[in-house]
PDB file of all heavy atoms in Angstrom:
ATOM      1  N   MET A   1      12.308   9.165  -0.179  1.00  0.00           N
ATOM      2  CA  MET A   1      11.696   8.324   0.845  1.00  0.00           C
ATOM      3  C   MET A   1      10.636   7.430   0.204  1.00  0.00           C
ATOM      4  O   MET A   1      10.172   7.698  -0.906  1.00  0.00           O
ATOM      5  CB  MET A   1      11.063   9.203   1.932  1.00  0.00           C
ATOM      6  CG  MET A   1      12.053  10.101   2.663  1.00  0.00           C
ATOM      7  SD  MET A   1      13.265   9.144   3.599  1.00  0.00           S
ATOM      8  CE  MET A   1      12.257   8.635   5.002  1.00  0.00           C
ATOM      9  N   PRO A   2      10.235   6.370   0.871  1.00  0.00           N
ATOM     10  CA  PRO A   2       9.192   5.496   0.306  1.00  0.00           C
ATOM     11  C   PRO A   2       7.885   6.259   0.098  1.00  0.00           C
ATOM     12  O   PRO A   2       7.515   7.116   0.902  1.00  0.00           O
ATOM     13  CB  PRO A   2       9.019   4.402   1.366  1.00  0.00           C
ATOM     14  CG  PRO A   2      10.276   4.429   2.163  1.00  0.00           C
ATOM     15  CD  PRO A   2      10.735   5.845   2.159  1.00  0.00           C
ATOM     16  N   SER A   3       7.183   5.935  -0.981  1.00  0.00           N
ATOM     17  CA  SER A   3       5.874   6.536  -1.212  1.00  0.00           C
ATOM     18  C   SER A   3       4.854   5.904  -0.269  1.00  0.00           C
ATOM     19  O   SER A   3       5.167   5.000   0.503  1.00  0.00           O
ATOM     20  CB  SER A   3       5.452   6.361  -2.678  1.00  0.00           C
ATOM     21  OG  SER A   3       5.461   4.993  -3.037  1.00  0.00           O
ATOM     22  N   ARG A   4       3.614   6.366  -0.316  1.00  0.00           N
ATOM     23  CA  ARG A   4       2.618   6.044   0.717  1.00  0.00           C
ATOM     24  C   ARG A   4       2.400   4.565   0.980  1.00  0.00           C
ATOM     25  O   ARG A   4       2.190   4.144   2.124  1.00  0.00           O
ATOM     26  CB  ARG A   4       1.292   6.707   0.357  1.00  0.00           C
ATOM     27  CG  ARG A   4       0.838   6.403  -1.067  1.00  0.00           C
ATOM     28  CD  ARG A   4      -0.161   7.390  -1.592  1.00  0.00           C
ATOM     29  NE  ARG A   4      -0.084   7.468  -3.048  1.00  0.00           N
ATOM     30  CZ  ARG A   4      -0.881   8.198  -3.783  1.00  0.00           C
ATOM     31  NH1 ARG A   4      -1.833   8.904  -3.210  1.00  0.00           N
ATOM     32  NH2 ARG A   4      -0.742   8.234  -5.099  1.00  0.00           N
ATOM     33  N   PHE A   5       2.429   3.718  -0.072  1.00  0.00           N
ATOM     34  CA  PHE A   5       2.214   2.286   0.116  1.00  0.00           C
ATOM     35  C   PHE A   5       3.473   1.470  -0.141  1.00  0.00           C
ATOM     36  O   PHE A   5       3.416   0.237  -0.184  1.00  0.00           O
ATOM     37  CB  PHE A   5       1.081   1.791  -0.796  1.00  0.00           C
ATOM     38  CG  PHE A   5      -0.230   2.477  -0.549  1.00  0.00           C
ATOM     39  CD1 PHE A   5      -0.861   3.197  -1.558  1.00  0.00           C
ATOM     40  CD2 PHE A   5      -0.826   2.428   0.703  1.00  0.00           C
ATOM     41  CE1 PHE A   5      -2.069   3.843  -1.327  1.00  0.00           C
ATOM     42  CE2 PHE A   5      -2.026   3.070   0.944  1.00  0.00           C
ATOM     43  CZ  PHE A   5      -2.654   3.777  -0.064  1.00  0.00           C
ATOM     44  N   GLU A   6       4.596   2.145  -0.283  1.00  0.00           N
ATOM     45  CA  GLU A   6       5.860   1.471  -0.575  1.00  0.00           C
ATOM     46  C   GLU A   6       6.484   0.956   0.719  1.00  0.00           C
ATOM     47  O   GLU A   6       6.456   1.621   1.751  1.00  0.00           O
ATOM     48  CB  GLU A   6       6.809   2.427  -1.282  1.00  0.00           C
ATOM     49  CG  GLU A   6       7.968   1.760  -1.990  1.00  0.00           C
ATOM     50  CD  GLU A   6       8.680   2.715  -2.928  1.00  0.00           C
ATOM     51  OE1 GLU A   6       8.507   3.947  -2.770  1.00  0.00           O
ATOM     52  OE2 GLU A   6       9.402   2.242  -3.823  1.00  0.00           O
ATOM     53  N   THR A   7       7.037  -0.234   0.653  1.00  0.00           N
ATOM     54  CA  THR A   7       7.680  -0.842   1.816  1.00  0.00           C
ATOM     55  C   THR A   7       9.124  -0.350   1.937  1.00  0.00           C
ATOM     56  O   THR A   7       9.540   0.562   1.228  1.00  0.00           O
ATOM     57  CB  THR A   7       7.669  -2.377   1.688  1.00  0.00           C
ATOM     58  OG1 THR A   7       8.575  -2.760   0.630  1.00  0.00           O
ATOM     59  CG2 THR A   7       6.276  -2.895   1.371  1.00  0.00           C
ATOM     60  N   SER A   8       9.886  -0.987   2.811  1.00  0.00           N
ATOM     61  CA  SER A   8      11.294  -0.614   2.995  1.00  0.00           C
ATOM     62  C   SER A   8      12.183  -1.148   1.875  1.00  0.00           C
ATOM     63  O   SER A   8      13.389  -0.918   1.892  1.00  0.00           O
ATOM     64  CB  SER A   8      11.793  -1.122   4.347  1.00  0.00           C
ATOM     65  OG  SER A   8      11.551  -2.510   4.484  1.00  0.00           O
ATOM     66  N   TRP A   9      11.592  -1.867   0.916  1.00  0.00           N
ATOM     67  CA  TRP A   9      12.307  -2.263  -0.289  1.00  0.00           C
ATOM     68  C   TRP A   9      11.697  -1.499  -1.465  1.00  0.00           C
ATOM     69  O   TRP A   9      10.482  -1.553  -1.662  1.00  0.00           O
ATOM     70  CB  TRP A   9      12.174  -3.772  -0.523  1.00  0.00           C
ATOM     71  CG  TRP A   9      13.117  -4.588   0.329  1.00  0.00           C
ATOM     72  CD1 TRP A   9      13.615  -4.249   1.547  1.00  0.00           C
ATOM     73  CD2 TRP A   9      13.646  -5.871   0.005  1.00  0.00           C
ATOM     74  NE1 TRP A   9      14.423  -5.247   2.023  1.00  0.00           N
ATOM     75  CE2 TRP A   9      14.462  -6.261   1.091  1.00  0.00           C
ATOM     76  CE3 TRP A   9      13.501  -6.739  -1.070  1.00  0.00           C
ATOM     77  CZ2 TRP A   9      15.143  -7.478   1.124  1.00  0.00           C
ATOM     78  CZ3 TRP A   9      14.175  -7.960  -1.041  1.00  0.00           C
ATOM     79  CH2 TRP A   9      14.995  -8.313   0.046  1.00  0.00           C
ATOM     80  N   PRO A  10      12.504  -0.779  -2.244  1.00  0.00           N
ATOM     81  CA  PRO A  10      11.970   0.029  -3.349  1.00  0.00           C
ATOM     82  C   PRO A  10      11.131  -0.787  -4.325  1.00  0.00           C
ATOM     83  O   PRO A  10      11.470  -1.933  -4.659  1.00  0.00           O
ATOM     84  CB  PRO A  10      13.238   0.559  -4.041  1.00  0.00           C
ATOM     85  CG  PRO A  10      14.288   0.527  -2.981  1.00  0.00           C
ATOM     86  CD  PRO A  10      13.972  -0.679  -2.140  1.00  0.00           C
ATOM     87  N   ARG A  11      10.003  -0.217  -4.728  1.00  0.00           N
ATOM     88  CA  ARG A  11       9.092  -0.789  -5.719  1.00  0.00           C
ATOM     89  C   ARG A  11       8.411  -2.072  -5.246  1.00  0.00           C
ATOM     90  O   ARG A  11       7.857  -2.808  -6.056  1.00  0.00           O
ATOM     91  CB  ARG A  11       9.800  -1.016  -7.068  1.00  0.00           C
ATOM     92  CG  ARG A  11      10.323   0.260  -7.717  1.00  0.00           C
ATOM     93  CD  ARG A  11      10.972  -0.005  -9.044  1.00  0.00           C
ATOM     94  NE  ARG A  11      11.980  -1.047  -8.997  1.00  0.00           N
ATOM     95  CZ  ARG A  11      13.201  -0.901  -8.460  1.00  0.00           C
ATOM     96  NH1 ARG A  11      13.565   0.265  -7.951  1.00  0.00           N
ATOM     97  NH2 ARG A  11      14.039  -1.912  -8.453  1.00  0.00           N
ATOM     98  N   ILE A  12       8.450  -2.331  -3.953  1.00  0.00           N
ATOM     99  CA  ILE A  12       7.596  -3.363  -3.373  1.00  0.00           C
ATOM    100  C   ILE A  12       6.583  -2.648  -2.488  1.00  0.00           C
ATOM    101  O   ILE A  12       6.959  -1.868  -1.603  1.00  0.00           O
ATOM    102  CB  ILE A  12       8.378  -4.405  -2.549  1.00  0.00           C
ATOM    103  CG1 ILE A  12       9.313  -5.196  -3.462  1.00  0.00           C
ATOM    104  CG2 ILE A  12       7.416  -5.353  -1.843  1.00  0.00           C
ATOM    105  CD1 ILE A  12      10.027  -6.348  -2.772  1.00  0.00           C
ATOM    106  N   TYR A  13       5.316  -2.880  -2.756  1.00  0.00           N
ATOM    107  CA  TYR A  13       4.230  -2.145  -2.104  1.00  0.00           C
ATOM    108  C   TYR A  13       3.353  -3.116  -1.315  1.00  0.00           C
ATOM    109  O   TYR A  13       3.270  -4.305  -1.635  1.00  0.00           O
ATOM    110  CB  TYR A  13       3.384  -1.407  -3.152  1.00  0.00           C
ATOM    111  CG  TYR A  13       4.202  -0.511  -4.037  1.00  0.00           C
ATOM    112  CD1 TYR A  13       4.868  -1.024  -5.165  1.00  0.00           C
ATOM    113  CD2 TYR A  13       4.348   0.841  -3.759  1.00  0.00           C
ATOM    114  CE1 TYR A  13       5.648  -0.209  -5.982  1.00  0.00           C
ATOM    115  CE2 TYR A  13       5.125   1.670  -4.566  1.00  0.00           C
ATOM    116  CZ  TYR A  13       5.770   1.130  -5.670  1.00  0.00           C
ATOM    117  OH  TYR A  13       6.542   1.944  -6.456  1.00  0.00           O
ATOM    118  N   ALA A  14       2.695  -2.600  -0.304  1.00  0.00           N
ATOM    119  CA  ALA A  14       1.758  -3.410   0.480  1.00  0.00           C
ATOM    120  C   ALA A  14       0.418  -2.697   0.523  1.00  0.00           C
ATOM    121  O   ALA A  14       0.354  -1.496   0.829  1.00  0.00           O
ATOM    122  CB  ALA A  14       2.288  -3.635   1.898  1.00  0.00           C
ATOM    123  N   VAL A  15      -0.645  -3.432   0.211  1.00  0.00           N
ATOM    124  CA  VAL A  15      -1.995  -2.858   0.223  1.00  0.00           C
ATOM    125  C   VAL A  15      -2.957  -3.819   0.913  1.00  0.00           C
ATOM    126  O   VAL A  15      -2.732  -5.026   0.968  1.00  0.00           O
ATOM    127  CB  VAL A  15      -2.499  -2.548  -1.208  1.00  0.00           C
ATOM    128  CG1 VAL A  15      -1.584  -1.571  -1.920  1.00  0.00           C
ATOM    129  CG2 VAL A  15      -2.654  -3.834  -2.020  1.00  0.00           C
ATOM    130  N   GLY A  16      -4.028  -3.267   1.436  1.00  0.00           N
ATOM    131  CA  GLY A  16      -5.061  -4.086   2.050  1.00  0.00           C
ATOM    132  C   GLY A  16      -4.706  -4.555   3.450  1.00  0.00           C
ATOM    133  O   GLY A  16      -3.889  -3.932   4.147  1.00  0.00           O
ATOM    134  N   ASP A  17      -5.275  -5.669   3.856  1.00  0.00           N
ATOM    135  CA  ASP A  17      -5.185  -6.137   5.237  1.00  0.00           C
ATOM    136  C   ASP A  17      -3.765  -6.417   5.698  1.00  0.00           C
ATOM    137  O   ASP A  17      -3.485  -6.389   6.900  1.00  0.00           O
ATOM    138  CB  ASP A  17      -6.021  -7.407   5.413  1.00  0.00           C
ATOM    139  CG  ASP A  17      -7.507  -7.141   5.322  1.00  0.00           C
ATOM    140  OD1 ASP A  17      -7.887  -5.962   5.177  1.00  0.00           O
ATOM    141  OD2 ASP A  17      -8.287  -8.110   5.386  1.00  0.00           O
ATOM    142  N   VAL A  18      -2.859  -6.713   4.785  1.00  0.00           N
ATOM    143  CA  VAL A  18      -1.493  -7.059   5.171  1.00  0.00           C
ATOM    144  C   VAL A  18      -0.692  -5.836   5.618  1.00  0.00           C
ATOM    145  O   VAL A  18       0.340  -5.965   6.280  1.00  0.00           O
ATOM    146  CB  VAL A  18      -0.781  -7.761   3.988  1.00  0.00           C
ATOM    147  CG1 VAL A  18      -0.372  -6.741   2.913  1.00  0.00           C
ATOM    148  CG2 VAL A  18       0.422  -8.557   4.459  1.00  0.00           C
ATOM    149  N   ARG A  19      -1.179  -4.654   5.326  1.00  0.00           N
ATOM    150  CA  ARG A  19      -0.437  -3.421   5.594  1.00  0.00           C
ATOM    151  C   ARG A  19      -0.762  -2.875   6.981  1.00  0.00           C
ATOM    152  O   ARG A  19      -1.922  -2.829   7.382  1.00  0.00           O
ATOM    153  CB  ARG A  19      -0.774  -2.367   4.528  1.00  0.00           C
ATOM    154  CG  ARG A  19       0.069  -1.101   4.612  1.00  0.00           C
ATOM    155  CD  ARG A  19      -0.295  -0.153   3.495  1.00  0.00           C
ATOM    156  NE  ARG A  19      -1.631   0.403   3.676  1.00  0.00           N
ATOM    157  CZ  ARG A  19      -1.899   1.453   4.459  1.00  0.00           C
ATOM    158  NH1 ARG A  19      -0.933   2.052   5.139  1.00  0.00           N
ATOM    159  NH2 ARG A  19      -3.134   1.897   4.556  1.00  0.00           N
ATOM    160  N   LYS A  20       0.251  -2.444   7.696  1.00  0.00           N
ATOM    161  CA  LYS A  20       0.053  -1.823   9.005  1.00  0.00           C
ATOM    162  C   LYS A  20      -0.785  -0.559   8.848  1.00  0.00           C
ATOM    163  O   LYS A  20      -0.533   0.278   7.992  1.00  0.00           O
ATOM    164  CB  LYS A  20       1.403  -1.453   9.628  1.00  0.00           C
ATOM    165  CG  LYS A  20       1.290  -0.598  10.901  1.00  0.00           C
ATOM    166  CD  LYS A  20       2.643  -0.232  11.451  1.00  0.00           C
ATOM    167  CE  LYS A  20       2.535   0.867  12.506  1.00  0.00           C
ATOM    168  NZ  LYS A  20       1.677   0.514  13.628  1.00  0.00           N
ATOM    169  N   GLY A  21      -1.791  -0.420   9.699  1.00  0.00           N
ATOM    170  CA  GLY A  21      -2.613   0.786   9.707  1.00  0.00           C
ATOM    171  C   GLY A  21      -3.715   0.804   8.681  1.00  0.00           C
ATOM    172  O   GLY A  21      -4.450   1.795   8.603  1.00  0.00           O
ATOM    173  N   SER A  22      -3.874  -0.250   7.905  1.00  0.00           N
ATOM    174  CA  SER A  22      -4.940  -0.254   6.905  1.00  0.00           C
ATOM    175  C   SER A  22      -6.294  -0.385   7.585  1.00  0.00           C
ATOM    176  O   SER A  22      -6.421  -0.976   8.659  1.00  0.00           O
ATOM    177  CB  SER A  22      -4.751  -1.398   5.904  1.00  0.00           C
ATOM    178  OG  SER A  22      -4.908  -2.647   6.542  1.00  0.00           O
ATOM    179  N   VAL A  23      -7.303   0.177   6.944  1.00  0.00           N
ATOM    180  CA  VAL A  23      -8.675   0.020   7.428  1.00  0.00           C
ATOM    181  C   VAL A  23      -9.203  -1.291   6.879  1.00  0.00           C
ATOM    182  O   VAL A  23      -9.213  -1.508   5.674  1.00  0.00           O
ATOM    183  CB  VAL A  23      -9.555   1.200   6.961  1.00  0.00           C
ATOM    184  CG1 VAL A  23     -10.998   0.993   7.419  1.00  0.00           C
ATOM    185  CG2 VAL A  23      -9.006   2.503   7.505  1.00  0.00           C
ATOM    186  N   LYS A  24      -9.628  -2.175   7.748  1.00  0.00           N
ATOM    187  CA  LYS A  24     -10.029  -3.523   7.327  1.00  0.00           C
ATOM    188  C   LYS A  24     -11.436  -3.494   6.733  1.00  0.00           C
ATOM    189  O   LYS A  24     -12.406  -3.956   7.318  1.00  0.00           O
ATOM    190  CB  LYS A  24      -9.939  -4.488   8.509  1.00  0.00           C
ATOM    191  CG  LYS A  24      -8.560  -4.534   9.169  1.00  0.00           C
ATOM    192  CD  LYS A  24      -7.473  -4.907   8.176  1.00  0.00           C
ATOM    193  CE  LYS A  24      -6.118  -5.113   8.843  1.00  0.00           C
ATOM    194  NZ  LYS A  24      -5.447  -3.878   9.204  1.00  0.00           N
ATOM    195  N   ARG A  25     -11.536  -2.884   5.560  1.00  0.00           N
ATOM    196  CA  ARG A  25     -12.785  -2.778   4.822  1.00  0.00           C
ATOM    197  C   ARG A  25     -12.508  -3.078   3.358  1.00  0.00           C
ATOM    198  O   ARG A  25     -11.428  -2.771   2.836  1.00  0.00           O
ATOM    199  CB  ARG A  25     -13.403  -1.379   4.937  1.00  0.00           C
ATOM    200  CG  ARG A  25     -13.786  -0.956   6.353  1.00  0.00           C
ATOM    201  CD  ARG A  25     -15.038  -1.674   6.829  1.00  0.00           C
ATOM    202  NE  ARG A  25     -15.483  -1.158   8.115  1.00  0.00           N
ATOM    203  CZ  ARG A  25     -15.065  -1.568   9.289  1.00  0.00           C
ATOM    204  NH1 ARG A  25     -14.141  -2.512   9.351  1.00  0.00           N
ATOM    205  NH2 ARG A  25     -15.541  -1.056  10.412  1.00  0.00           N
ATOM    206  N   VAL A  26     -13.469  -3.650   2.674  1.00  0.00           N
ATOM    207  CA  VAL A  26     -13.306  -3.972   1.263  1.00  0.00           C
ATOM    208  C   VAL A  26     -13.026  -2.716   0.448  1.00  0.00           C
ATOM    209  O   VAL A  26     -12.113  -2.683  -0.385  1.00  0.00           O
ATOM    210  CB  VAL A  26     -14.550  -4.701   0.723  1.00  0.00           C
ATOM    211  CG1 VAL A  26     -14.465  -4.863  -0.794  1.00  0.00           C
ATOM    212  CG2 VAL A  26     -14.696  -6.061   1.382  1.00  0.00           C
ATOM    213  N   ALA A  27     -13.809  -1.664   0.689  1.00  0.00           N
ATOM    214  CA  ALA A  27     -13.656  -0.437  -0.085  1.00  0.00           C
ATOM    215  C   ALA A  27     -12.266   0.165   0.094  1.00  0.00           C
ATOM    216  O   ALA A  27     -11.666   0.678  -0.861  1.00  0.00           O
ATOM    217  CB  ALA A  27     -14.728   0.577   0.323  1.00  0.00           C
ATOM    218  N   SER A  28     -11.735   0.100   1.320  1.00  0.00           N
ATOM    219  CA  SER A  28     -10.407   0.636   1.580  1.00  0.00           C
ATOM    220  C   SER A  28      -9.342  -0.154   0.835  1.00  0.00           C
ATOM    221  O   SER A  28      -8.426   0.419   0.233  1.00  0.00           O
ATOM    222  CB  SER A  28     -10.131   0.612   3.084  1.00  0.00           C
ATOM    223  OG  SER A  28      -8.822   1.057   3.359  1.00  0.00           O
ATOM    224  N   SER A  29      -9.450  -1.488   0.854  1.00  0.00           N
ATOM    225  CA  SER A  29      -8.481  -2.319   0.145  1.00  0.00           C
ATOM    226  C   SER A  29      -8.515  -2.062  -1.354  1.00  0.00           C
ATOM    227  O   SER A  29      -7.473  -1.974  -2.008  1.00  0.00           O
ATOM    228  CB  SER A  29      -8.762  -3.801   0.422  1.00  0.00           C
ATOM    229  OG  SER A  29      -8.542  -4.118   1.769  1.00  0.00           O
ATOM    230  N   VAL A  30      -9.719  -1.924  -1.910  1.00  0.00           N
ATOM    231  CA  VAL A  30      -9.858  -1.620  -3.334  1.00  0.00           C
ATOM    232  C   VAL A  30      -9.226  -0.262  -3.644  1.00  0.00           C
ATOM    233  O   VAL A  30      -8.527  -0.103  -4.658  1.00  0.00           O
ATOM    234  CB  VAL A  30     -11.339  -1.646  -3.756  1.00  0.00           C
ATOM    235  CG1 VAL A  30     -11.513  -1.088  -5.170  1.00  0.00           C
ATOM    236  CG2 VAL A  30     -11.886  -3.065  -3.684  1.00  0.00           C
ATOM    237  N   GLY A  31      -9.464   0.707  -2.768  1.00  0.00           N
ATOM    238  CA  GLY A  31      -8.878   2.028  -2.975  1.00  0.00           C
ATOM    239  C   GLY A  31      -7.357   1.992  -2.970  1.00  0.00           C
ATOM    240  O   GLY A  31      -6.709   2.588  -3.840  1.00  0.00           O
ATOM    241  N   GLU A  32      -6.783   1.271  -2.006  1.00  0.00           N
ATOM    242  CA  GLU A  32      -5.329   1.184  -1.938  1.00  0.00           C
ATOM    243  C   GLU A  32      -4.766   0.471  -3.169  1.00  0.00           C
ATOM    244  O   GLU A  32      -3.746   0.884  -3.730  1.00  0.00           O
ATOM    245  CB  GLU A  32      -4.910   0.453  -0.664  1.00  0.00           C
ATOM    246  CG  GLU A  32      -5.202   1.239   0.615  1.00  0.00           C
ATOM    247  CD  GLU A  32      -4.708   0.524   1.861  1.00  0.00           C
ATOM    248  OE1 GLU A  32      -3.960  -0.471   1.726  1.00  0.00           O
ATOM    249  OE2 GLU A  32      -5.041   0.979   2.968  1.00  0.00           O
ATOM    250  N   GLY A  33      -5.423  -0.621  -3.572  1.00  0.00           N
ATOM    251  CA  GLY A  33      -4.944  -1.363  -4.728  1.00  0.00           C
ATOM    252  C   GLY A  33      -4.989  -0.566  -6.018  1.00  0.00           C
ATOM    253  O   GLY A  33      -4.145  -0.744  -6.899  1.00  0.00           O
ATOM    254  N   SER A  34      -5.958   0.330  -6.127  1.00  0.00           N
ATOM    255  CA  SER A  34      -6.060   1.147  -7.341  1.00  0.00           C
ATOM    256  C   SER A  34      -5.100   2.335  -7.305  1.00  0.00           C
ATOM    257  O   SER A  34      -4.427   2.631  -8.297  1.00  0.00           O
ATOM    258  CB  SER A  34      -7.493   1.636  -7.527  1.00  0.00           C
ATOM    259  OG  SER A  34      -7.935   2.377  -6.404  1.00  0.00           O
ATOM    260  N   VAL A  35      -5.003   2.977  -6.152  1.00  0.00           N
ATOM    261  CA  VAL A  35      -4.152   4.170  -6.044  1.00  0.00           C
ATOM    262  C   VAL A  35      -2.669   3.826  -6.163  1.00  0.00           C
ATOM    263  O   VAL A  35      -1.883   4.605  -6.705  1.00  0.00           O
ATOM    264  CB  VAL A  35      -4.429   4.881  -4.698  1.00  0.00           C
ATOM    265  CG1 VAL A  35      -3.373   5.945  -4.423  1.00  0.00           C
ATOM    266  CG2 VAL A  35      -5.813   5.519  -4.711  1.00  0.00           C
ATOM    267  N   VAL A  36      -2.267   2.645  -5.690  1.00  0.00           N
ATOM    268  CA  VAL A  36      -0.848   2.292  -5.697  1.00  0.00           C
ATOM    269  C   VAL A  36      -0.278   2.241  -7.114  1.00  0.00           C
ATOM    270  O   VAL A  36       0.931   2.395  -7.313  1.00  0.00           O
ATOM    271  CB  VAL A  36      -0.629   0.935  -4.976  1.00  0.00           C
ATOM    272  CG1 VAL A  36      -1.088  -0.232  -5.834  1.00  0.00           C
ATOM    273  CG2 VAL A  36       0.825   0.763  -4.577  1.00  0.00           C
ATOM    274  N   VAL A  37      -1.132   2.062  -8.099  1.00  0.00           N
ATOM    275  CA  VAL A  37      -0.645   1.942  -9.469  1.00  0.00           C
ATOM    276  C   VAL A  37       0.034   3.224  -9.943  1.00  0.00           C
ATOM    277  O   VAL A  37       1.025   3.176 -10.683  1.00  0.00           O
ATOM    278  CB  VAL A  37      -1.803   1.546 -10.418  1.00  0.00           C
ATOM    279  CG1 VAL A  37      -1.335   1.527 -11.867  1.00  0.00           C
ATOM    280  CG2 VAL A  37      -2.346   0.173 -10.032  1.00  0.00           C
ATOM    281  N   SER A  38      -0.460   4.378  -9.508  1.00  0.00           N
ATOM    282  CA  SER A  38       0.200   5.626  -9.904  1.00  0.00           C
ATOM    283  C   SER A  38       1.604   5.707  -9.313  1.00  0.00           C
ATOM    284  O   SER A  38       2.536   6.211  -9.955  1.00  0.00           O
ATOM    285  CB  SER A  38      -0.636   6.835  -9.454  1.00  0.00           C
ATOM    286  OG  SER A  38      -0.732   6.888  -8.038  1.00  0.00           O
ATOM    287  N   ASP A  39       1.789   5.198  -8.096  1.00  0.00           N
ATOM    288  CA  ASP A  39       3.122   5.163  -7.491  1.00  0.00           C
ATOM    289  C   ASP A  39       4.041   4.206  -8.249  1.00  0.00           C
ATOM    290  O   ASP A  39       5.235   4.478  -8.410  1.00  0.00           O
ATOM    291  CB  ASP A  39       3.027   4.720  -6.029  1.00  0.00           C
ATOM    292  CG  ASP A  39       2.239   5.698  -5.158  1.00  0.00           C
ATOM    293  OD1 ASP A  39       2.083   6.860  -5.579  1.00  0.00           O
ATOM    294  OD2 ASP A  39       1.782   5.289  -4.073  1.00  0.00           O
TER     295      ASP A  39
END
């Protein structure tokens, strides 16, 4: 199944404000952008 930030297309990820359910905060966007790299 898709990983936490992975979209319905494999190896395409969405982070920050463009993602459904994201917290619209700078710190949250930075966290998502950094964590997605392990995926």
Side-chain angles (χ1 to χ4, degrees):
M1 299 296 284
S3 56
R4 52 200 153 177
F5 301 120
E6 197 167 18
T7 70
S8 54
W9 280 28
R11 298 182 308 286
I12 295 186
Y13 305 84
V15 301
D17 291 357
V18 76
R19 187 178 69 83
K20 171 182 167 58
S22 66
V23 177
K24 304 303 187 283
R25 298 286 186 273
V26 172
S28 177
S29 294
V30 170
E32 292 183 11
S34 58
V35 168
V36 75
V37 175
S38 63
D39 296 341

